[in-house]
Amino acid sequence: MKCRVCAGNAVISEPRLCREHLTSHVQKEVRRIIRWVKPEKLLVAVSGGKDSAALAHALAETGVQFEMLYIDLGIDGYSSPSKEAAARLAKRLGGRLHTVRPPTPVPELKQRKEPVCSLCGTVKRYVMNRFAFENGFDYVATGHNMDDVAAITAIGIASGNAFNFKLSPVSWPRKEHRMAGRIKPLYRISEKEILAYALVHGLPVHHAECPLSENNTQLAAKQLLSGLPGFKRGLYRLAAKMGREGKRELFECRECSYPTTASSRICKFCRLSRER
Ligand code: SF4
Ligand code: ZN
Ligand code: ZN
């Protein structure tokens, strides 16, 4: 199989690219988003997985300055090897790694009414934003890829509120609401491309699946879409056209002062911490 650009040996079939051209394809996309938002102080959320590892590596290779945040979710047999992979990545890139352990370990959230992955998402978003805001980072970068975007769009359409999902590659900071900006530099890169990128660069990655992922809707949607590549591309294009996030009214949480859409003025993170 030949690279479509230079006819060298391709390391991926879709698109057919060699190591060098896959690398420049991914890094060009990362550079595009960075030039667009021009972050002053960037925080990269690393999970120990391939997406955030590829993102951090591409940013470092592009000469972007950043620090990393690992959120220790306290999941037995999963969090600790993920944390080790994140630490190895930080060492390799020579970057600073912060670790935050939320007060309620994610496995304890399993007892609540809502699916654990949805609550885990709330915890991760809250911790990321609060850490970034309190430490002067104007943007947080996450490793969301094209397949994530297609899956989130599919779930949004199925649940009838596609416009409420965070689909945009860029959310601008809203200081008045104590919100750091958020960017998804790998938004236009597929999961296969990211996996190939992580492999050819030998990035330290923990490949195992989270043991709590059994009812993860996003994962299920991704698996379904992997057999429907045309449909997946269509969903991605739809997400790109919709482009902007639906803006809902924000209130200040009475307990922590961070933003919430809840009319009770108590954010979901504070509610979860209360219910312990
Ligand atoms: Fe959290 Fe669910 Fe992902 Fe596990 S699979 S890390 S519980 S969102
Ligand atoms: Zn090539
Ligand atoms: Zn709160």
Side-chain angles (χ1 to χ4, degrees), residues 47 73 75 78-79 106-107 109-110 115-122 124 209-219:
S47 64
L73 303 168
I75 303 172
Y78 177 73
S79 290
V106 163
L109 302 175
K110 248 188 130 178
V116 67
C117 290
S118 153
L119 300 175
C120 178
T122 300
K124 285 189 280 195
E209 216 162 78
C210 169
L212 304 178
S213 67
E214 201 184 326
N215 296 316
N216 185 309
T217 333
Q218 197 174 316
L219 217 58

Side-chain angles (χ1 to χ4, degrees), residues 23-33:
T23 301
S24 56
H25 166 63
V26 173
Q27 293 181 1
K28 194 171 145 202
E29 192 53 27
V30 166
R31 224 175 358 248
R32 184 181 73 85
I33 301 280

Side-chain angles (χ1 to χ4, degrees), residues 90-126:
K91 195 168 173 206
R92 171 153 166 201
L93 302 180
R96 186 165 179 204
L97 177 69
H98 306 269
T99 300
V100 171
R101 190 163 194 161
T104 313
V106 163
E108 282 184 29
L109 302 175
K110 248 188 130 178
Q111 326 304 331
R112 315 291 166 87
K113 280 183 222 128
E114 248 183 87
V116 67
C117 290
S118 153
L119 300 175
C120 178
T122 300
V123 169
K124 285 189 280 195
R125 282 191 297 275
Y126 182 91

Side-chain angles (χ1 to χ4, degrees), residues 41 97 115 139 143 168 181 202 214 220 243:
K41 195 176 174 200
L97 177 69
Y139 282 93
S168 167
E214 201 184 326

Side-chain angles (χ1 to χ4, degrees), residues 19-147:
R19 183 186 198 276
E20 185 195 337
H21 287 110
L22 170 69
T23 301
S24 56
H25 166 63
V26 173
Q27 293 181 1
K28 194 171 145 202
E29 192 53 27
V30 166
R31 224 175 358 248
R32 184 181 73 85
I33 301 280
I34 294 297
R35 282 190 184 143
W36 180 11
V37 300
K38 298 183 183 62
E40 278 172 19
K41 195 176 174 200
L42 179 65
L43 182 68
V44 179
V46 291
S47 64
K50 64 181 187 325
D51 303 287
S52 50
L55 171 61
H57 181 268
L59 283 164
E61 291 287 301
T62 314
V64 178
Q65 300 289 317
F66 61 91
E67 294 178 20
M68 286 166 273
L69 171 68
Y70 174 79
I71 303 174
D72 186 342
L73 303 168
I75 303 172
D76 272 352
Y78 177 73
S79 290
S80 125
S82 303
K83 190 172 164 183
E84 272 167 35
R88 276 188 284 135
L89 178 74
K91 195 168 173 206
R92 171 153 166 201
L93 302 180
R96 186 165 179 204
L97 177 69
H98 306 269
T99 300
V100 171
R101 190 163 194 161
T104 313
V106 163
E108 282 184 29
L109 302 175
K110 248 188 130 178
Q111 326 304 331
R112 315 291 166 87
K113 280 183 222 128
E114 248 183 87
V116 67
C117 290
S118 153
L119 300 175
C120 178
T122 300
V123 169
K124 285 189 280 195
R125 282 191 297 275
Y126 182 91
V127 170
M128 255 189 266
N129 180 59
R130 185 162 179 167
F131 183 87
F133 191 83
E134 285 179 355
N135 293 282
F137 293 92
D138 54 344
Y139 282 93
V140 183
T142 58
H144 290 92
N145 60 46
M146 185 194 269
D147 296 59

Side-chain angles (χ1 to χ4, degrees), residues 3 5-6 18 21:
C3 170
V5 183
C6 70
C18 67
H21 287 110

Side-chain angles (χ1 to χ4, degrees), residues 257-271:
S257 325
Y258 280 85
T260 176
T261 51
S263 48
S264 61
R265 311 284 211 268
I266 306 285
C267 78
K268 201 162 166 186
F269 182 87
C270 287
R271 267 187 283 138

